[in-house]
Amino acid sequence: MAGSTAPKKIAKFVANINNAGLAAICASSLAMFGLPVMWVAGILLSFYALEKTTSNFIAVFFAAIIPSVIAFFVLDNELSWQIFWQIFSFLSILSFLSYLLRSTSSWSVVLQAVGILGPCLIILIYILYPDIDAWWLERLNSFFANAEVEQSEIDLALYAKYATGMQAIILYSATLFNLAVARYWQACLYSKKKKARADFLQVKISTLTVFF
């Protein structure tokens, strides 16, 4: 019995704005050191977007992004710049999709938005940074050189061409995972399981989404 109530107790604990803010700061800080815990801040942010007031959501958003902002200005190097924009992009897209689900109660609309925004984001990146493939190639060469793993230039050049698309897929997959967990948490905590199940079962993929 205690085991079954433990997740609900944890959920109620972080449903408090002060606890949620502290948890978001800790998760974001640990993620900057390479620990895979950014999803904790993502789930918290998505939950607050789905259920709580806008002011509480904004507080959690800034709590999750504060560590990367501090690192961005204090360290002032390329790595901190990359980490900041990765975290900011992830949280911004997750926030948009969370509010979209909150306003429409439709996973179909969310998936359509992902199907359209994904390619548009890649196109925008190539417009703003035409040499993005060369940037990826430089990073891959540096990574494999440090790891002392031999890779041919042809292989790395091929990887670099698809790196942006793969990163976009990973980004949107991560946001959908966080959104799904936050939705389930919301359903369990506020007795909305039937509504959440009905929303999920009504998912339909439009022809436009398939095209993109």
Side-chain angles (χ1 to χ4, degrees):
M1 187 74 174
S4 62
T5 58
K8 197 165 186 177
K9 288 182 178 179
I10 294 174
K12 287 184 177 180
F13 175 79
V14 292
N16 177 280
I17 182 62
N18 295 325
N19 298 334
L22 180 60
I25 291 175
C26 291
S28 183
S29 299
L30 292 174
M32 294 187 63
F33 288 98
L35 296 177
V37 292
M38 193 61 203
W39 58 271
V40 175
I43 292 172
L44 285 170
L45 181 68
S46 183
F47 171 78
Y48 271 76
L50 288 170
E51 183 65 33
K52 301 295 185 176
T53 63
T54 302
S55 59
N56 284 348
F57 158 77
I58 292 174
V60 175
F61 183 92
F62 278 107
I65 208 168
I66 278 176
S68 61
V69 172
I70 294 175
F72 178 77
F73 287 105
V74 173
L75 299 179
D76 192 24
N77 56 34
E78 188 175 359
L79 180 59
S80 62
W81 180 85
Q82 293 172 21
I83 293 174
F84 167 76
W85 281 110
Q86 286 175 357
I87 292 177
F88 181 79
S89 299
F90 167 69
L91 295 178
S92 297
I93 294 173
L94 179 59
S95 301
F96 170 74
L97 295 179
S98 299
Y99 270 103
L100 187 63
L101 181 60
R102 177 174 181 167
S103 61
T104 64
S105 297
S106 173
W107 280 100
S108 297
V109 175
V110 171
L111 293 177
Q112 288 173 18
V114 171
I116 295 172
L117 288 176
C120 291
L121 176 62
I122 295 174
I123 293 171
L124 180 62
I125 290 174
Y126 273 95
I127 291 174
L128 296 176
Y129 305 101
D131 296 328
I132 188 69
D133 289 350
W135 183 87
W136 277 116
L137 182 58
E138 181 183 345
R139 295 299 173 277
L140 290 170
N141 279 320
S142 176
F143 171 78
F144 284 108
N146 293 332
E148 298 182 353
V149 177
E150 293 186 2
Q151 287 286 333
S152 69
E153 283 293 331
I154 297 177
D155 289 339
L156 292 180
L158 183 62
Y159 297 156
K161 289 182 179 180
Y162 298 102
T164 302
M166 291 302 299
Q167 285 293 313
I169 292 173
I170 293 172
L171 175 62
Y172 280 103
S173 297
T175 56
L176 287 174
F177 169 77
N178 280 263
L179 180 56
V181 174
R183 186 63 157 178
Y184 178 76
W185 175 21
Q186 178 195 29
C188 292
L189 197 58
Y190 296 99
S191 301
K192 297 180 179 180
K193 287 185 178 181
K194 290 184 178 180
K195 185 178 185 306
R197 187 182 298 112
D199 292 343
F200 183 77
L201 293 176
Q202 292 175 1
V203 172
K204 294 180 181 179
I205 306 299
S206 68
T207 305
L208 180 64
T209 305
V210 174
F211 171 78
F212 274 93

